[in-house]
Amino acid sequence: MHYSTAIASELRPSTNNLPAAHKRASHGAFLPVTNQLPHDPRRLPINMDLGWRIAHSDNIVTHHCGHLQLDHTPETARLLTEASGSFGGTVLPKHIAYTQSGGLLLLDKANALLKKFDPCTKAFVTVPCTGGTGTGIRQFNQAQALSICGDNLLIADTGNRRLMVYSVLGFLVRGTWLPPDNATEQVWQPVAVTVSADRKVLVADPANGCIHLFNFAGCWLRCISGVGAVQAIAVDRHNKLYIHAGEGVPVRIYDLAKQQWFKELTDPTDLSWVQQAFCSSPIETSIETSIETSIETSIETSIETSIETDSHNNINLGDICQRYHGDQTNSKPLWFNANGQKIKTPSPVLKQYRQQGVLYTDAIDSHLYRCQWDRIILTANVPSGTRVKVATFTAQSPLTDKQIRHLDERQWITQQTLFPGDQYDWDALIRSAPGRLLWLKIQMISDGTSTPTVYGMELQFPRLSLRRHLPAVFGHEQQAADFTDRFLAIFDRGFRQIENHIDTMAARLDPLSAPAEAGKSDFLSWLASWIGLTLDRQLPLNIRRNLVKHAGKLFQCRGTLVGLRGMLELYLNFSQRIGEIDPSTPGATSSTNYKSCVSCQTPFLSSPAPHWQVPQMQVPQIIVEHYKLRRWLFVGAGRLGDQARLWGKKIINRTQLSGPQIDGNAQAGVTQLNTRQDPLRDPFHHYAHKFSVFLPAWVGRLAPYKKSIERIINAEKPAHTQHNIIYVEPRFRVGIQSMIGFDSVIGCYPQGLYLNQKALNQAALKQTALNEAALGKATVLSEPEQSDSSLRIGSKSTIGSTMRMK
């Protein structure tokens, strides 16, 4: 070998260890690897979460959860100090609350009633056994506000000076929360209640000029003093507390995490900053996916803002009814007043929005030399009488904001218009010349009665046209190349949409991420049809997703005790209420672990239980097979003891006629002639092929749950069996409801029925208490709270609930 050739072979980089793609891209052994064009353009989202990049704006504000809209006219602007406590429509009024399962509760302050919205009948219905003016645990006296904390319903009962706690499911009374006697100088007066991000309950007390903090269990923690005559409170997503203390007083902001005052809002019309702090944008970073799921995401993340309110406490629930019924047409207004009664649509104020507005963005840097910007995508809603114009300008070097605003109109290129009807999915090619920096100019035009809304934008760059696969002659001349790119962009968009659907197909096939929007892209119901499961849309979304995810594992156990129990636990959502059960947990039983069937494992979620739940709590045994109830003596094996049972006539209670040495029990008009099995085996036939299902009482009170449970039991039970559904109340009655773990609930000691000593000194309160005291289930007659509960000899001796042996 020649010396120079040997040296060259040593200096030549080896390509044996390079990837195949690098070998193909190298033109010779000594040439560097060429840069490959990306498969798709880059995407740059612009929205409230990532920043609107606003440099200058005239009459366009960030409104309603960060969306861009025209500003209100001065005479129709909402105020932060509205009496409803909605802080200018930022949150729901303080007498309305939205539950996690999708229910809407309303406190009818005028009639002292608690109401729940029924989207099927499109009306508010009164919650049974609640409401009415009085001092009972289910009555209210000048109640002002309510809120939801987990599955607890909190009601500020101002007149009775207490915070009532109910269960959202079934509205069972869970207790009364009060601050300690030494916590306040005056008798406290709860007028508003809200929940912080760390699950602390905050109660406004204007009588003492403070805000009380309770934990999730109802224990008083501390109070924030010096807030004045507070009327309404709210907590934003940054865990900052907003305090409204009446007309003419600035809204004050308190940082709960740092326990210090944060800011004062002196301008009651400055809503944009407050709305951004409370709301989160429903727009995802990927616009294509958010087009299909924006409505669903907005329901899950900021459902309160989808309810339109006005300054007179009226609410519009038309959007909720539209989503419930799966109507694809535009929603019709459905207005209710503060008492939950239907009213006519309030007459809109003419010219309530500005008629023109313009917005300029900051310079958007592509970090590419002479970048050819490709496309702008807008997610927007353009109602009738409005339109939106979009223009672009590019440059290679930075310009000041003043220079951008004073550009000649002819220098703004693209100039595309969104007309009414172009909703949610609008895009246009960017016609500006290549340049590293891009500026956007957005104009909104309205007739004053409505406003267009921009939810988010996305920029795509650089332009990767299909022209790169054509001969170079198609791009030799600039105008011809521009025409070819615009013509091929029609196919570019179609191809990329198909590719995007293929790339995101995995998300559509996962029950936890599949779109579930009614009528348009309900992939969740489609996935359920694969395994023969019919979803009830009245169930909450998280339960439906959990059903589709785990129902397939239980199908091979269908018709068995394990399969029926697992399906019921999915419907009752025990995985979220109790937490995952660890088989190694002390006290866990084999029935809890489902060891009888390997493939029928417990359908609970794999995520750990929240810190506020008890991790070792077991799922109740909700199914009892009747054959397990017969524990009798058998000849040759029977032993007298606690397991021995003797049976006689009363098991079946057959009718017998009177005869010699026989006392018959036949009665005219009472005795029925029914054909049954032979009498010798009656005790066995009575318990065979039967089982009982014990469910919480709230299931029977909610019609959607009750129908779904009955349908699932009929579908999952063995065909030859009979079932009986028993709804368990919070009772413990010997002989009626006393089986621990099945039909009995051990709860807090019930509130005693007595007259407080302070009430005895006031004739009016004494008369009220006597008139409204009622005896019934779970009623306890007891001494006043301050009396000694020990057993005493004399007229005060009490044998029963207050007896103690010392």
Side-chain angles (χ1 to χ4, degrees):
M1 181 182 294
H2 194 269
Y3 180 78
S4 59
T5 307
I7 295 297
S9 62
E10 293 179 1
L11 296 178
R12 181 183 297 117
S14 176
T15 59
N16 294 332
N17 298 328
L18 292 177
H22 285 216
K23 293 179 181 180
R24 291 193 301 267
S26 300
H27 301 283
F30 295 99
L31 298 179
V33 178
T34 58
N35 293 327
Q36 297 291 329
L37 289 174
H39 181 67
D40 290 317
R42 302 176 184 176
R43 300 171 181 270
L44 178 62
I46 300 176
N47 51 43
M48 191 271 291
D49 286 339
L50 301 177
W52 286 108
R53 302 171 182 262
I54 300 176
H56 180 78
S57 177
D58 287 332
N59 297 334
I60 294 181
V61 295
T62 306
H63 205 48
H64 289 300
C65 277
H67 309 156
L68 296 180
Q69 290 184 345
L70 284 172
D71 194 8
H72 285 274
T73 54
E75 59 271 12
T76 60
R78 300 287 296 271
L79 301 177
L80 290 172
T81 56
E82 291 179 354
S84 63
S86 64
F87 290 90
T90 304
V91 297
L92 288 177
K94 62 181 183 179
H95 70 287
I96 301 175
Y98 208 99
T99 65
Q100 295 179 352
S101 59
L104 187 67
L105 298 176
L106 180 141
L107 184 61
D108 185 354
K109 296 185 290 185
N111 302 310
L113 295 175
L114 180 63
K115 298 181 178 180
K116 184 175 182 179
F117 182 67
D118 184 2
C120 184
T121 59
K122 300 181 180 181
F124 279 95
V125 295
T126 302
V127 175
C129 303
T130 59
T133 303
T135 58
I137 58 175
R138 292 184 173 272
Q139 295 178 319
F140 311 117
N141 184 10
Q142 299 178 3
Q144 296 294 323
L146 75 166
S147 182
I148 301 293
C149 182
D151 58 352
N152 286 338
L153 170 62
L154 312 169
I155 298 181
D157 195 356
T158 307
N160 291 322
R161 302 183 183 276
R162 63 189 179 184
L163 184 68
M164 292 302 306
V165 183
Y166 301 91
S167 171
V168 175
L169 302 174
F171 300 97
L172 304 176
V173 179
R174 288 186 169 173
T176 302
W177 293 1
L178 299 170
D181 295 337
N182 56 357
T184 58
E185 297 180 358
Q186 305 292 333
V187 179
W188 85 317
Q189 183 184 7
V191 298
V193 58
T194 188
V195 181
S196 64
D198 54 352
R199 301 179 71 85
K200 299 293 190 303
V201 178
L202 295 92
V203 184
D205 181 9
N208 296 278
C210 66
I211 296 175
H212 300 271
L213 276 78
F214 296 84
N215 65 4
F216 183 81
C219 298
W220 186 86
L221 302 177
R222 60 186 179 90
C223 65
I224 304 173
S225 58
V227 298
V230 57
Q231 300 298 321
I233 55 177
V235 178
D236 65 7
R237 55 179 178 154
H238 304 296
N239 207 25
K240 290 183 174 57
L241 175 65
Y242 291 69
I243 302 172
H244 162 43
E247 295 291 338
V249 180
V251 174
R252 303 175 69 186
I253 304 175
Y254 183 83
D255 193 333
L256 293 174
K258 299 180 180 179
Q259 299 186 13
Q260 62 183 12
W261 293 103
F262 176 71
K263 190 177 181 180
E264 282 191 2
L265 301 177
T266 57
D267 185 5
T269 62
D270 186 13
L271 300 178
S272 58
W273 188 86
V274 178
Q275 289 167 344
Q276 292 182 25
F278 273 89
C279 304
S280 58
S281 175
I283 304 302
E284 304 282 347
T285 49
S286 176
I287 295 296
E288 279 89 354
T289 57
S290 67
I291 290 173
E292 296 181 352
T293 60
S294 60
I295 295 182
E296 176 190 349
T297 309
S298 63
I299 296 174
E300 297 176 350
T301 57
S302 56
I303 184 65
E304 294 185 359
T305 57
S306 64
I307 301 176
E308 183 182 357
T309 62
D310 62 9
S311 57
H312 301 288
N313 284 352
N314 301 322
I315 57 175
N316 180 17
L317 303 181
D319 291 340
I320 293 181
C321 293
Q322 177 196 15
R323 289 194 297 268
Y324 178 83
H325 294 281
D327 189 5
Q328 301 185 23
T329 60
N330 294 330
S331 61
K332 298 180 180 179
L334 185 62
W335 285 87
F336 296 86
N337 61 11
N339 300 329
Q341 299 175 351
K342 288 184 180 180
I343 59 175
K344 295 182 180 180
T345 302
S347 301
V349 181
L350 297 179
K351 310 300 181 184
Q352 58 180 338
Y353 293 100
R354 303 281 188 178
Q355 296 187 357
Q356 274 193 340
V358 61
L359 181 145
Y360 298 90
T361 65
D362 285 326
I364 303 173
D365 195 349
S366 66
H367 299 283
L368 298 176
Y369 177 74
R370 292 187 57 82
C371 173
Q372 178 59 62
W373 297 81
D374 181 34
R375 189 188 303 270
I376 178 174
I377 302 174
L378 257 67
T379 305
N381 181 21
V382 185
S384 179
T386 65
R387 60 185 184 272
V388 178
K389 292 183 177 181
V390 180
T392 60
F393 175 78
T394 56
Q396 192 62 32
S397 57
L399 300 176
T400 63
D401 295 339
K402 185 176 181 180
Q403 289 176 319
I404 293 297
R405 294 200 304 268
H406 289 82
L407 286 175
D408 189 85
E409 190 65 26
R410 292 173 296 181
Q411 295 180 273
W412 290 98
I413 314 299
T414 304
Q415 296 287 359
Q416 296 293 322
T417 303
L418 285 80
F419 292 99
D422 297 335
Q423 299 183 1
Y424 294 112
D425 49 355
W426 179 92
D427 67 297
L429 283 178
I430 297 177
R431 301 289 307 279
S432 298
R436 174 177 174 172
L437 303 176
L438 173 73
W439 288 265
L440 294 176
K441 177 184 177 182
I442 299 178
Q443 293 177 278
M444 293 186 179
I445 302 174
S446 171
D447 56 3
T449 59
S450 57
T451 174
T453 304
V454 176
Y455 301 102
M457 298 179 287
E458 184 181 273
L459 295 173
Q460 295 182 359
F461 64 94
R463 180 173 296 164
L464 302 177
S465 174
L466 292 175
R467 179 172 56 86
R468 64 184 185 272
H469 301 298
L470 297 178
V473 67
F474 288 92
H476 181 70
E477 199 270 327
Q478 183 176 359
Q479 292 185 353
D482 179 66
F483 171 79
T484 304
D485 289 343
R486 288 187 288 112
F487 177 74
L488 295 177
I490 302 174
F491 307 97
D492 282 335
R493 180 187 179 188
F495 290 155
R496 290 198 177 101
Q497 285 181 342
I498 296 174
E499 291 175 352
N500 180 71
H501 283 295
I502 296 175
D503 295 339
T504 59
M505 183 58 67
R508 288 174 166 80
L509 298 180
D510 188 347
L512 299 182
S513 60
E517 181 186 346
K520 293 185 179 180
S521 57
D522 192 357
F523 274 79
L524 187 63
S525 298
W526 179 59
L527 291 178
S529 66
W530 286 18
I531 55 177
L533 182 65
T534 302
L535 293 180
D536 189 351
R537 292 199 60 85
Q538 295 181 358
L539 294 174
L541 179 61
N542 61 330
I543 296 181
R544 282 184 280 147
R545 293 189 184 278
N546 205 19
L547 277 171
V548 179
K549 180 179 180 180
H550 298 288
K553 302 177 184 178
L554 297 173
F555 276 175
Q556 54 186 333
C557 305
R558 197 169 189 177
T560 65
L561 173 64
V562 175
L564 177 59
R565 183 167 51 205
M567 192 64 70
L568 288 175
E569 290 174 1
L570 286 175
Y571 266 82
L572 297 175
N573 200 23
F574 278 156
S575 59
Q576 294 290 338
R577 302 184 190 282
I578 298 180
E580 184 182 6
I581 294 179
D582 186 1
S584 62
T585 301
T589 60
S590 59
S591 60
T592 305
N593 302 333
Y594 295 155
K595 293 181 180 180
S596 58
C597 182
V598 177
S599 60
C600 298
Q601 296 297 326
T602 175
F604 302 142
L605 295 177
S606 59
S607 58
H611 67 278
W612 52 269
Q613 293 179 339
V614 181
Q616 296 183 356
M617 188 181 295
Q618 299 183 17
V619 175
Q621 299 294 326
I622 59 178
I623 299 178
V624 175
E625 297 173 283
H626 289 187
Y627 81 90
K628 294 182 178 180
L629 300 178
R630 56 189 193 203
R631 295 176 295 177
W632 303 323
L633 291 175
F634 291 90
V635 177
R639 294 291 185 272
L640 293 179
D642 58 349
Q643 299 296 322
R645 294 292 184 273
L646 297 176
W647 76 84
K649 303 176 183 178
K650 291 187 177 180
I651 290 182
I652 302 301
N653 197 22
R654 282 182 174 271
T655 300
Q656 295 183 358
L657 299 177
S658 300
Q661 298 180 354
I662 299 177
D663 295 333
N665 57 356
Q667 299 180 17
V670 177
T671 300
Q672 296 181 0
L673 298 179
N674 298 326
T675 59
R676 297 288 297 270
Q677 290 86 357
D678 56 297
L680 295 179
R681 293 186 294 174
D682 274 345
F684 300 93
H685 293 303
H686 181 70
Y687 290 105
H689 313 300
K690 297 179 181 178
F691 65 93
S692 295
V693 181
F694 296 89
L695 300 176
W698 61 264
V699 177
R701 296 189 181 99
L702 301 180
Y705 270 91
K706 185 176 182 180
K707 294 180 181 178
S708 299
I709 290 295
E710 293 175 352
R711 183 168 54 251
I712 200 63
I713 293 177
N714 289 324
E716 299 295 330
K717 73 173 185 177
H720 64 283
T721 59
Q722 298 179 6
H723 71 277
N724 181 30
I725 301 178
I726 302 175
Y727 296 104
V728 179
E729 297 281 351
R731 305 284 187 266
F732 189 90
R733 294 175 288 175
V734 177
I736 300 176
Q737 182 178 325
S738 57
M739 289 189 295
I740 301 297
F742 294 99
D743 62 349
S744 60
V745 177
I746 305 298
C748 299
Y749 191 80
Q751 182 179 3
L753 180 60
Y754 59 88
L755 291 180
N756 193 293
Q757 293 294 339
K758 296 181 179 179
L760 292 175
N761 300 329
Q762 301 179 18
L765 293 179
K766 177 180 178 181
Q767 186 67 26
T768 302
L770 289 175
N771 292 338
E772 296 182 358
L775 297 178
K777 294 181 179 179
T779 301
V780 177
L781 299 178
S782 62
E783 292 286 334
E785 292 179 345
Q786 64 270 21
S787 64
D788 187 10
S789 59
S790 61
L791 180 62
R792 297 183 300 274
I793 304 299
S795 60
K796 294 293 184 179
S797 299
T798 304
I799 305 298
S801 62
T802 62
M803 182 181 68
R804 289 184 183 179
M805 302 298 295
K806 291 186 177 179

